[in-house]
Coordinates of all heavy atoms in Angstrom, one line a residue:
R132 N 73.4 99.6 65.7 CA 73.3 101.0 65.2 C 74.7 101.6 65.2 O 75.1 102.3 64.2 CB 72.3 101.8 65.9 CG 70.8 101.3 65.7 CD 69.8 102.3 66.3 NE 68.5 101.7 66.3 CZ 67.7 101.7 65.3 NH1 68.1 102.2 64.1 NH2 66.5 101.1 65.3
G133 N 75.4 101.5 66.3 CA 76.8 102.1 66.4 C 77.7 101.5 65.4 O 78.5 102.2 64.8
F134 N 77.6 100.2 65.2 CA 78.5 99.5 64.2 C 78.2 100.0 62.7 O 79.2 100.3 62.0 CB 78.2 98.0 64.1 CG 78.5 97.2 65.4 CD1 77.9 96.0 65.7 CD2 79.2 97.8 66.4 CE1 78.1 95.3 66.8 CE2 79.5 97.1 67.6 CZ 79.0 95.8 67.8
V135 N 77.0 100.2 62.4 CA 76.7 100.8 61.1 C 77.2 102.2 61.0 O 77.9 102.6 59.9 CB 75.2 100.8 60.9 CG1 74.8 101.6 59.6 CG2 74.5 99.4 60.8
G136 N 77.1 103.0 62.0 CA 77.7 104.3 62.0 C 79.2 104.4 61.8 O 79.7 105.3 61.3
K137 N 79.8 103.3 62.3 CA 81.3 103.3 62.3 C 81.8 102.7 60.9 O 83.0 102.7 60.6 CB 81.9 102.5 63.4 CG 81.7 103.1 64.8 CD 82.1 102.3 65.9 CE 81.8 102.9 67.3 NZ 82.5 104.2 67.5
G138 N 80.9 102.1 60.1 CA 81.3 101.6 58.9 C 81.5 100.0 58.8 O 82.1 99.5 57.9
C139 N 81.1 99.3 59.8 CA 81.2 97.9 59.8 C 80.3 97.2 58.8 O 79.3 97.9 58.4 CB 80.8 97.3 61.2 SG 81.9 97.8 62.5
A140 N 80.6 96.1 58.4 CA 79.9 95.4 57.3 C 78.7 94.7 57.8 O 77.9 94.2 57.0 CB 80.8 94.4 56.6
G141 N 78.6 94.5 59.1 CA 77.5 93.8 59.8 C 77.9 93.5 61.2 O 78.6 94.1 61.8
C142 N 77.4 92.2 61.7 CA 77.7 91.8 63.0 C 77.7 90.3 63.0 O 77.1 89.6 62.2 CB 76.9 92.5 64.1 SG 75.3 91.7 64.3
D143 N 78.2 89.8 64.1 CA 78.3 88.3 64.4 C 77.7 88.2 65.8 O 78.3 88.5 66.8 CB 79.8 87.9 64.3 CG 80.0 86.5 64.6 OD1 79.2 85.6 64.2 OD2 81.0 86.1 65.2
I144 N 76.5 87.6 65.9 CA 75.9 87.6 67.2 C 75.8 86.1 67.7 O 75.4 85.2 67.1 CB 74.5 88.2 67.1 CG1 73.8 88.3 68.5 CG2 73.5 87.5 66.2 CD1 72.7 89.2 68.7
L145 N 76.2 86.0 68.9 CA 76.2 84.7 69.7 C 74.9 84.4 70.3 O 74.7 84.2 71.5 CB 77.3 84.7 70.7 CG 78.7 84.9 70.2 CD1 79.6 85.4 71.3 CD2 79.3 83.6 69.6
A146 N 73.8 84.4 69.5 CA 72.5 84.5 69.9 C 72.1 83.3 70.9 O 71.5 83.5 72.0 CB 71.5 84.5 68.8
Y147 N 72.5 82.1 70.6 CA 72.2 80.9 71.4 C 73.1 80.7 72.5 O 73.1 79.7 73.2 CB 72.1 79.7 70.4 CG 70.9 79.6 69.6 CD1 70.8 79.9 68.3 CD2 69.6 79.3 70.2 CE1 69.7 79.9 67.5 CE2 68.5 79.3 69.5 CZ 68.5 79.7 68.1 OH 67.3 79.6 67.3
R148 N 74.0 81.6 72.7 CA 74.8 81.6 73.9 C 74.4 82.7 74.9 O 75.1 83.1 75.8 CB 76.3 81.7 73.6 CG 76.8 80.5 72.8 CD 78.3 80.7 72.6 NE 78.8 79.6 71.8 CZ 80.1 79.4 71.5 NH1 81.0 80.2 72.0 NH2 80.5 78.4 70.8
A149 N 73.2 83.3 74.7 CA 72.7 84.4 75.5 C 72.4 84.0 76.9 O 72.0 82.9 77.2 CB 71.5 85.0 74.8
T150 N 72.7 84.8 77.9 CA 72.4 84.6 79.2 C 71.3 85.5 79.9 O 70.9 85.2 81.0 CB 73.7 84.8 80.1 OG1 74.2 86.2 79.9 CG2 74.8 83.8 79.6
E151 N 70.9 86.5 79.1 CA 70.0 87.5 79.7 C 68.8 87.7 78.7 O 67.8 88.4 79.2 CB 70.6 88.8 79.9 CG 71.8 88.8 80.8 CD 72.4 90.2 81.0 OE1 71.7 91.2 81.0 OE2 73.7 90.3 81.0
A152 N 68.7 87.1 77.5 CA 67.6 87.3 76.7 C 67.3 86.2 75.8 O 68.2 85.3 75.7 CB 68.0 88.5 75.8
D153 N 66.2 86.2 75.2 CA 65.8 85.1 74.3 C 66.6 85.2 73.0 O 66.8 86.3 72.5 CB 64.4 85.2 73.9 CG 64.0 84.2 72.9 OD1 63.7 83.1 73.2 OD2 63.8 84.6 71.7
P154 N 67.2 84.2 72.5 CA 68.1 84.2 71.3 C 67.4 84.9 70.1 O 68.1 85.7 69.4 CB 68.4 82.7 71.0 CG 68.4 82.1 72.4 CD 67.2 82.7 73.1
I155 N 66.2 84.5 69.8 CA 65.6 85.0 68.6 C 65.3 86.6 68.8 O 65.3 87.4 67.8 CB 64.3 84.2 68.3 CG1 64.7 82.8 67.9 CG2 63.5 84.9 67.1 CD1 65.7 82.7 66.8
D156 N 64.9 86.9 70.1 CA 64.7 88.4 70.2 C 66.1 89.2 69.9 O 66.0 90.2 69.4 CB 64.3 88.6 71.7 CG 62.9 88.2 72.0 OD1 62.1 88.1 71.0 OD2 62.5 88.1 73.2
L157 N 67.2 88.6 70.3 CA 68.5 89.2 70.0 C 68.7 89.3 68.5 O 69.3 90.3 68.0 CB 69.6 88.5 70.7 CG 69.6 88.4 72.2 CD1 70.8 87.7 72.8 CD2 69.5 89.8 72.8
V158 N 68.4 88.3 67.8 CA 68.5 88.3 66.3 C 67.7 89.4 65.7 O 68.1 90.2 64.8 CB 68.3 86.9 65.7 CG1 68.4 87.0 64.1 CG2 69.2 85.8 66.2
R159 N 66.4 89.5 66.1 CA 65.5 90.5 65.7 C 66.1 91.9 66.0 O 66.1 92.8 65.1 CB 64.2 90.3 66.3 CG 63.4 89.1 65.8 CD 61.9 89.2 66.2 NE 61.2 88.0 65.9 CZ 60.9 87.1 66.8 NH1 61.2 87.3 68.1 NH2 60.2 86.0 66.5
A160 N 66.7 92.0 67.2 CA 67.2 93.3 67.6 C 68.4 93.7 66.7 O 68.6 94.9 66.4 CB 67.6 93.3 69.0
A161 N 69.2 92.7 66.4 CA 70.4 93.0 65.6 C 70.0 93.4 64.3 O 70.5 94.3 63.7 CB 71.3 91.7 65.5
R162 N 69.0 92.7 63.7 CA 68.5 93.1 62.3 C 68.0 94.6 62.4 O 68.2 95.3 61.4 CB 67.5 92.1 61.9 CG 66.7 92.5 60.5 CD 67.7 92.9 59.4 NE 68.5 91.8 59.0 CZ 69.7 92.0 58.4 NH1 70.2 93.2 58.2 NH2 70.4 90.9 58.0
K163 N 67.2 94.9 63.4 CA 66.6 96.2 63.5 C 67.7 97.2 63.5 O 67.7 98.3 62.9 CB 65.7 96.3 64.7 CG 65.0 97.6 64.8 CD 64.0 97.6 65.9 CE 63.3 98.9 66.0 NZ 62.4 98.9 67.3
G164 N 68.8 97.0 64.4 CA 69.8 97.9 64.5 C 70.7 98.1 63.3 O 71.2 99.2 62.9
L165 N 70.9 96.9 62.6 CA 71.8 97.0 61.4 C 71.1 97.6 60.1 O 71.7 98.1 59.2 CB 72.2 95.6 61.0 CG 73.2 94.8 61.9 CD1 73.4 93.4 61.4 CD2 74.5 95.6 62.0
G166 N 69.7 97.5 60.1 CA 69.0 97.9 58.9 C 69.0 96.8 57.9 O 69.5 95.7 58.2
P167 N 68.4 97.0 56.8 CA 68.1 95.9 55.8 C 69.4 95.4 55.0 O 69.4 94.4 54.4 CB 67.1 96.4 55.0 CG 67.3 97.9 55.0 CD 67.8 98.3 56.3
D168 N 70.4 96.3 55.0 CA 71.5 96.1 54.0 C 72.8 95.5 54.5 O 73.6 95.1 53.8 CB 71.9 97.4 53.3 CG 70.6 98.0 52.6 OD1 69.8 97.2 52.1 OD2 70.5 99.2 52.5
K169 N 72.9 95.4 55.9 CA 74.1 94.9 56.4 C 73.9 93.4 56.7 O 72.9 92.9 56.8 CB 74.5 95.6 57.8 CG 74.8 97.1 57.6 CD 76.0 97.3 56.8 CE 76.3 98.8 56.7 NZ 77.6 99.1 55.9
Y170 N 75.1 92.7 56.8 CA 75.1 91.3 56.9 C 75.1 90.8 58.3 O 76.0 91.1 59.1 CB 76.4 90.8 56.2 CG 76.5 89.3 55.8 CD1 75.8 88.8 54.7 CD2 77.4 88.4 56.4 CE1 75.9 87.5 54.3 CE2 77.5 87.1 56.0 CZ 76.8 86.6 55.0 OH 76.9 85.3 54.6
L171 N 74.1 90.0 58.6 CA 73.9 89.5 60.0 C 74.2 88.0 60.1 O 73.5 87.2 59.5 CB 72.5 89.8 60.4 CG 72.0 89.2 61.8 CD1 72.8 89.6 62.9 CD2 70.5 89.7 62.1
I172 N 75.2 87.7 60.9 CA 75.6 86.3 61.1 C 75.2 85.8 62.5 O 75.5 86.5 63.5 CB 77.1 86.1 60.9 CG1 77.6 86.7 59.6 CG2 77.6 84.7 61.2 CD1 79.1 86.9 59.5
V173 N 74.6 84.6 62.6 CA 74.3 84.1 63.9 C 75.4 83.0 64.1 O 75.5 82.0 63.4 CB 73.0 83.5 63.9 CG1 72.7 82.8 65.3 CG2 71.9 84.6 63.7
A174 N 76.1 83.1 65.2 CA 77.3 82.2 65.5 C 77.0 81.3 66.6 O 76.6 81.7 67.7 CB 78.5 83.1 65.8
G175 N 77.2 80.0 66.3 CA 77.1 79.0 67.4 C 75.8 78.5 67.8 O 74.8 79.2 67.8
A176 N 75.7 77.2 68.0 CA 74.6 76.4 68.5 C 73.4 76.4 67.6 O 72.2 76.2 68.0 CB 74.2 76.9 69.9
V177 N 73.6 76.7 66.3 CA 72.4 76.4 65.3 C 72.6 75.0 64.9 O 73.3 74.6 64.0 CB 72.6 77.4 64.1 CG1 71.5 77.1 63.1 CG2 72.6 78.8 64.6
T178 N 71.8 74.1 65.7 CA 72.1 72.7 65.7 C 70.9 71.9 65.0 O 70.9 70.7 65.1 CB 72.3 72.2 67.0 OG1 71.2 72.5 67.9 CG2 73.6 72.8 67.6
S179 N 70.0 72.6 64.4 CA 68.8 71.9 63.8 C 68.2 72.7 62.8 O 68.4 74.0 62.7 CB 67.8 71.6 64.9 OG 67.2 72.8 65.4
V180 N 67.3 72.1 61.9 CA 66.7 72.8 60.9 C 65.6 73.9 61.5 O 65.4 74.9 61.0 CB 65.9 71.9 59.9 CG1 64.8 71.1 60.6 CG2 65.3 72.7 58.7
E181 N 65.1 73.5 62.7 CA 64.2 74.4 63.4 C 64.9 75.7 63.7 O 64.4 76.8 63.6 CB 63.6 73.7 64.7 CG 62.6 72.6 64.3 CD 63.3 71.2 64.0 OE1 64.5 71.1 64.2 OE2 62.6 70.4 63.4
R182 N 66.1 75.6 64.2 CA 66.9 76.8 64.5 C 67.3 77.6 63.3 O 67.3 78.8 63.3 CB 68.1 76.4 65.4 CG 67.7 76.1 66.8 CD 68.9 76.0 67.8 NE 68.4 75.9 69.1 CZ 69.2 75.8 70.1 NH1 70.6 76.0 70.1 NH2 68.7 75.5 71.4
I183 N 67.6 76.9 62.2 CA 67.9 77.5 60.9 C 66.7 78.3 60.5 O 66.8 79.5 60.1 CB 68.3 76.6 59.8 CG1 69.6 75.9 60.1 CG2 68.3 77.2 58.4 CD1 70.0 74.8 59.2
R184 N 65.5 77.8 60.6 CA 64.3 78.4 60.1 C 64.0 79.6 61.1 O 63.6 80.7 60.6 CB 63.1 77.5 60.2 CG 63.1 76.5 59.1 CD 62.1 75.4 59.2 NE 62.1 74.5 58.1 CZ 61.6 73.2 58.2 NH1 61.1 72.8 59.3 NH2 61.8 72.4 57.1
A185 N 64.3 79.4 62.4 CA 64.0 80.5 63.3 C 64.9 81.7 63.1 O 64.4 82.9 63.1 CB 64.1 80.0 64.8
V186 N 66.2 81.5 62.9 CA 67.1 82.6 62.8 C 66.9 83.3 61.4 O 67.0 84.6 61.3 CB 68.5 82.3 62.9 CG1 68.8 81.8 64.3 CG2 69.1 81.3 61.9
K187 N 66.5 82.6 60.4 CA 66.2 83.1 59.0 C 64.9 84.0 59.1 O 65.0 85.2 58.7 CB 65.9 82.1 58.0 CG 65.5 82.5 56.7 CD 65.2 81.4 55.7 CE 64.9 82.0 54.3 NZ 64.6 80.9 53.3
A188 N 63.9 83.6 59.9 CA 62.6 84.3 60.0 C 63.0 85.6 60.8 O 62.2 86.6 60.6 CB 61.6 83.5 60.7
A189 N 63.9 85.6 61.6 CA 64.3 86.7 62.5 C 65.1 87.7 61.8 O 65.4 88.8 62.3 CB 65.0 86.3 63.8
G190 N 65.6 87.3 60.6 CA 66.4 88.3 59.8 C 67.9 88.0 59.6 O 68.5 88.8 59.0
A191 N 68.3 86.8 59.9 CA 69.7 86.5 59.8 C 70.0 86.3 58.3 O 69.2 85.7 57.5 CB 70.1 85.3 60.6
D192 N 71.3 86.6 57.8 CA 71.7 86.3 56.5 C 72.5 85.0 56.5 O 72.7 84.4 55.4 CB 72.6 87.5 56.0 CG 71.8 88.7 55.9 OD1 70.9 88.8 55.1 OD2 72.2 89.7 56.6

Side-chain angles (χ1 to χ4, degrees):
R132 290 188 190 281
F134 298 160
V135 172
K137 294 176 186 295
C139 294
C142 81
D143 180 36
I144 185 163
L145 298 160
Y147 284 103
R148 296 187 183 182
T150 59
E151 299 180 40
D153 176 77
I155 296 304
D156 286 346
L157 294 182
V158 178
R159 292 193 188 102
R162 172 49 66 202
K163 185 176 180 182
L165 291 175
D168 300 324
K169 297 295 183 179
Y170 196 71
L171 172 55
I172 302 166
V173 176
V177 180
T178 55
S179 65
V180 66
E181 290 78 17
R182 287 191 174 184
I183 292 174
R184 290 170 178 158
V186 299
K187 179 180 180 180
D192 296 298

